[in-house]
Amino acid sequence: MKKGNKPRVAVWKFASCDGCQLSLLDCEDELLAVAGAVDIAYFPEASSAMGKGPYDISLVEGSITTPHDAERIQQVRRVSGLLITIGACATAGGIQALRNFADVKAYTSIVYATPEYIQTLRKSTPINDHVFVDYELHGCPINKNQLVEIISATVTGRKPNIPPHAVCIECKQRGLPCIAVSQGIPCMGPVTHAGCNALCPAYNRGCFGCYGPMESANPDSLSAWWVGKLKVHRQDVMRAYRTFNAYADQFRKQSEAHEK
Amino acid sequence: MTSPHQGAPHAPSVPSVIEPQGLEQLFAALLRRNYKLVGPTLRDGTITYEEISSPSDLPAGWTDEQQPGMYRLKTRDDNAVFGYAAGPQSWKRILYPSVLRLWQAHRKGGKVEVTVDKPAEEPRYAFIGVRACELQAIGIQDKVFLHGNYVDPNYQLRREHNFIVAVNCTAPAGTCFCASMDSGPRAKGGYDIALTEVILGTEHYFVATAATKFGTEVLGEVECRPANEKQVTAAEAAINAAAENMGRTIDTTDIRQLLNRNFENPRWETTAARCLACANCTMVCPTCFCHNIEDVSDLTGEVAERWRKWDSCFTTAFSYIHGGSVRYSPAARYRQWLTHKLSTWHDQFGTSGCVGCGRCITWCPVGIDITEEVRAIRDKDHSREEV
Ligand code: SF4
Ligand code: SF4
Ligand code: SF4
Ligand code: SF4
């Protein structure tokens, strides 16, 4: 980042629910500091002012689901210095990637009166299937503290502190007893990327895997334990992996392995 | 292994007997001395160490059932307050906090001002119900944090005024193996007062000994009478029974050499296929001391902070050097954990890094069992066959 000049930031939206962009607006306490540190030049969700590119940092939310978006992301890449994808849609295809396991034509013909008008790709895919991505911020939605961290780190030119290890480490750092062990609750924490600070285990719920696979996820072993010891039905194993990060490689393989 | 605040321990005092009500007086004596009491209590379906204020916080009538990857609370058919085994987390959480800010720096007119973090009050913890294996583990962490070339001031601060009430084990869990590690079930030292809980029919009492001057002083404020021979024998019998009822064992014969010559044993790969690299085992282990240092700066660039957070040899960042992670494969990471605990710890600190508390077995989400792993490696001691 050039010294003295505030980096220019753009926030882009593709197929998504806007929840991750809202995390930026949800920064309340930090929002002024963010506005002070960077020049938010393009952010249709928040402001009608749309500054022209190029941009030093692009935050990209959403997945690619239409031919038009597949082209648009190339354009975004061209006008961006650093391209950071935010959220499960942008990093793994999102909940809409459930279509990847079905026939999208069949859906459109049931849902829409004139399906010919619908131009959609067969699959919902993450941004890094299309262009080079400099950094991925996981989560459904992302954690606003991590968003501020990544902006602070980028502005300062340091490495962001966003560890890719399992949720379990956050769980233990918080001093929570493992609910998988103490109550037999199927928890996806061991295969899930940290970032939520073990939110669900803290409320006695198994981790849902919102942050996608951790750095060296071993879902085969976890599923074997769930089925063998926790008596989880194979169908439910499939469902557990088929949510927001269903199309992330390791999660996809695991759900496919439990389809039958 | 002494509590650092009162110098050398003296020989344990003659055993005395305390009635259950005597615990009130013991707690009061410690509270009068401005200690924060930390002890076992029911929380989130487990018996865990939390701040407590009265004996009514103790888990009277409760125990635990523990197996690989499984922990369940169970009721007892008596009113024992210490009738359970090691729980989800050890005292490490207090002496060596999992997340700690070390310092902050502010830029002030061209200068950088650094403020080192210190607790507002000097931490004075009295630990109630420390098990023999945990005493051993605290002694090991003392070595790591206090007796090496560098002293960790954060650990020292918390450990300095630490009062320890040990409780000899009478209800070991299915995953315990301290008897094999020569670290329990009887407290050997490192405590101020040790208790053994005895329940015989309608009788319920504690046999108490003090091992430090300070412990003697505190015990002096509790109503007690000298234990008679029958009571001493009953307490001893309860501890001996615990030693015999250990759920697990580990054969430690030549364990360093065994592991040193089995770096290529195929078992590492077999276990790595099951291991989630989730790090639970290292987090719950009372001796693991590894942490990461995170430097953060804020958006304005005016404030920087340094944080210390528990880390584990199961993460790839742990062994990350220029170019990548040295222990990239989960097999290499599992091997690092097991060999550090049982073998290289000896080279580094002159003791075992494992005290046999069984936590890593119970709290592994897929029930990987360190004792079974050692057995498997011994059974297929490749190098020995080849030589
Ligand atoms: S509750 Fe879930 S996240 Fe926490 S340690 Fe257990 S498996 Fe991991
Ligand atoms: S290695 Fe396992 S059994 Fe040994 S001290 Fe650590 S947690 Fe306890
Ligand atoms: S086993 Fe791993 S986490 Fe534990 S002390 Fe050794 S290197 Fe550190
Ligand atoms: S041995 Fe168990 S607790 Fe340890 S990292 Fe592997 S799966 Fe997690």
Side-chain angles (χ1 to χ4, degrees):
Chain A
M1 235 48 35
K2 252 184 277 147
K3 267 258 158 102
N5 285 345
K6 282 202 274 179
R8 303 184 76 232
V9 175
V11 186
W12 308 92
K13 175 186 158 62
F14 288 82
S16 60
C17 76
D18 290 22
C20 289
Q21 297 186 54
L22 287 177
S23 312
L24 189 57
L25 298 176
D26 186 33
C27 282
E28 291 165 4
D29 296 342
E30 300 90 351
L31 198 55
L32 279 178
V34 172
V38 297
D39 168 18
I40 300 185
Y42 181 85
F43 191 5
E45 176 87 4
S47 140
S48 52
M50 298 201 190
K52 279 224 162 65
Y55 309 97
D56 297 305
I57 306 170
S58 274
L59 300 174
V60 177
E61 176 196 87
S63 68
I64 304 298
T65 55
T66 66
H68 173 241
D69 277 356
E71 271 170 40
R72 193 159 61 95
I73 189 64
Q74 300 296 338
Q75 233 168 308
V76 170
R77 180 67 270 188
R78 274 197 291 277
V79 296
S80 307
L82 288 177
L83 193 156
I84 300 170
T85 49
I86 57 171
C89 300
T91 56
I95 192 86
Q96 59 274 25
L98 288 178
R99 67 153 75 157
N100 303 4
F101 301 92
D103 178 4
V104 85
K105 279 232 172 84
Y107 283 152
T108 41
S109 64
I110 296 167
V111 176
Y112 298 99
T114 346
E116 310 80 82
Y117 289 169
I118 304 298
Q119 275 214 333
T120 190
L121 297 168
R122 212 173 59 76
K123 285 185 173 165
S124 165
T125 45
I127 302 297
N128 73 5
D129 271 13
H130 300 263
V131 295
F132 177 79
V133 171
D134 294 281
Y135 204 92
E136 294 190 318
L137 198 55
H138 296 267
C140 184
I142 53 165
N143 173 335
K144 66 172 186 178
N145 299 322
Q146 288 202 330
L147 184 61
V148 171
E149 167 64 9
I150 204 166
I151 296 173
S152 308
T154 312
V155 170
T156 326
R158 64 172 170 85
K159 192 170 147 264
N161 293 303
I162 296 181
H165 55 225
V167 172
C168 299
I169 292 189
E170 296 183 317
C171 190
K172 296 291 83 74
Q173 285 177 343
R174 283 185 72 156
L176 305 169
C178 175
I179 56 171
V181 170
S182 67
Q183 298 174 52
I185 294 173
C187 175
M188 292 179 75
V191 295
T192 302
H193 193 294
C196 62
N197 202 19
L199 187 58
C200 292
Y203 290 95
N204 231 19
R205 299 293 300 262
C207 164
F208 290 98
C210 306
Y211 281 64
M214 56 81 100
E215 56 179 4
S216 49
N218 184 356
D220 283 346
S221 168
L222 191 65
S223 297
W225 185 264
W226 282 14
V227 172
K229 291 279 178 165
L230 305 186
K231 303 295 166 217
V232 176
H233 198 277
R234 289 178 61 81
Q235 195 74 17
D236 293 327
V237 176
M238 197 249 323
R239 288 200 187 101
Y241 284 96
R242 215 160 264 187
T243 62
F244 328 104
N245 290 282
Y247 208 56
D249 229 28
Q250 290 121 312
F251 283 13
R252 174 181 60 79
K253 285 186 190 140
Q254 203 54 210
S255 76
E256 283 170 353
H258 289 81
E259 265 174 344
K260 297 259 152 53
Chain B
M1 273 207 307
T2 63
S3 292
H5 58 80
Q6 70 286 306
H10 60 172
S13 63
V14 269
S16 346
V17 160
I18 308 178
E19 298 294 328
Q21 311 83 275
L23 290 182
E24 295 277 2
Q25 295 158 358
L26 177 64
F27 279 37
L30 291 167
L31 289 170
R32 266 200 299 280
R33 288 173 173 79
N34 275 325
Y35 280 108
K36 263 197 185 118
L37 306 187
V38 183
T41 193
L42 291 184
R43 200 196 88 177
D44 301 334
T46 60
I47 296 167
T48 183
Y49 305 141
E50 298 291 333
E51 233 174 87
I52 56 173
S53 53
S54 105
S56 63
D57 294 329
L58 299 173
W62 289 94
T63 188
D64 47 50
E65 186 194 338
Q66 301 191 38
Q67 286 305 329
M70 199 276 291
Y71 178 106
R72 290 292 181 277
L73 270 185
K74 292 264 145 86
T75 49
R76 294 176 57 94
D77 46 22
D78 59 28
N79 232 10
V81 291
F82 295 115
Y84 56 83
Q89 295 235 24
S90 70
W91 308 96
K92 170 171 102 170
R93 236 180 88 210
I94 292 149
L95 296 174
Y96 165 52
S98 55
V99 177
L100 190 68
R101 189 175 65 196
L102 301 178
W103 51 255
Q104 270 184 298
H106 292 263
R107 207 198 298 273
K108 280 213 181 108
K111 277 204 193 137
V112 175
E113 237 168 59
V114 177
T115 333
V116 175
D117 279 276
K118 270 218 175 110
E121 284 169 52
E122 214 164 53
R124 285 171 63 82
Y125 293 112
F127 292 171
I128 314 291
V130 182
R131 302 302 190 171
C133 61
E134 297 175 323
L135 290 169
Q136 185 96 357
I138 292 171
I140 290 171
Q141 288 214 325
D142 283 355
K143 269 199 170 171
V144 174
F145 289 123
L146 303 177
H147 305 321
N149 290 339
Y150 303 97
V151 170
D152 181 311
N154 296 296
Y155 183 88
Q156 190 177 37
L157 191 69
R158 287 162 179 79
R159 182 77 175 104
E160 211 157 34
H161 304 284
N162 195 193
F163 189 94
I164 289 189
V165 179
V167 171
N168 289 312
C169 274
T170 50
T175 47
C176 289
F177 59 101
C178 64
S180 305
M181 301 310 293
D182 194 26
S183 53
R186 181 184 281 97
K188 283 189 289 194
Y191 57 85
D192 295 284
I193 296 174
L195 306 174
T196 311
E197 184 170 31
V198 179
I199 298 189
L200 277 178
T202 54
E203 283 185 275
H204 185 187
Y205 57 87
F206 302 89
V207 175
T209 50
T212 59
K213 212 169 126 233
F214 201 31
T216 311
E217 186 190 308
V218 171
L219 202 55
E221 289 169 34
V222 179
E223 242 174 83
C224 44
R225 52 196 151 79
N228 62 35
E229 211 183 300
K230 201 183 117 224
Q231 290 161 326
V232 174
T233 317
E236 286 304 304
I239 305 171
N240 290 340
E244 269 149 41
N245 290 327
M246 289 279 129
R248 289 183 145 63
T249 55
I250 207 168
D251 175 4
T252 56
T253 324
D254 287 339
I255 194 153
R256 293 163 74 185
Q257 294 84 334
L258 172 78
L259 294 172
N260 280 346
R261 63 173 179 259
N262 276 283
F263 265 56
E264 302 301 333
N265 195 297
R267 181 70 184 190
W268 303 120
E269 289 293 345
T270 320
T271 306
R274 287 172 63 210
C275 175
L276 307 164
C278 67
N280 267 298
C281 46
T282 53
M283 301 275 133
V284 299
C285 177
T287 67
C288 275
F289 53 78
C290 286
H291 51 259
N292 189 13
I293 296 291
E294 275 185 16
D295 287 338
V296 296
S297 55
D298 75 346
L299 281 161
T300 61
E302 300 298 307
V303 185
E305 295 178 345
R306 174 164 288 186
W307 289 77
R308 183 182 84 179
K309 294 182 175 174
W310 283 2
D311 197 2
S312 161
C313 49
F314 280 98
T315 71
T316 53
F318 185 88
S319 66
Y320 189 91
I321 55 168
H322 174 77
S325 183
V326 172
R327 292 189 205 101
Y328 191 73
S329 74
R333 289 181 249 161
Y334 186 80
R335 183 177 63 188
Q336 160 62 21
W337 141 260
L338 188 139
T339 55
H340 193 208
K341 294 279 95 169
L342 295 169
S343 165
T344 51
W345 204 289
H346 285 278
D347 309 333
Q348 206 180 356
F349 301 109
T351 66
S352 168
C354 172
V355 298
C357 72
R359 284 189 176 90
C360 58
I361 308 173
T362 299
W363 298 98
C364 172
V366 289
I368 295 175
D369 174 352
I370 192 169
T371 66
E372 188 190 319
E373 295 310 307
V374 170
R375 202 167 300 122
I377 287 170
R378 214 179 266 290
D379 285 351
K380 287 230 156 52
D381 184 353
H382 273 244
S383 327
R384 196 187 49 199
E385 282 164 13
E386 281 157 22
V387 174

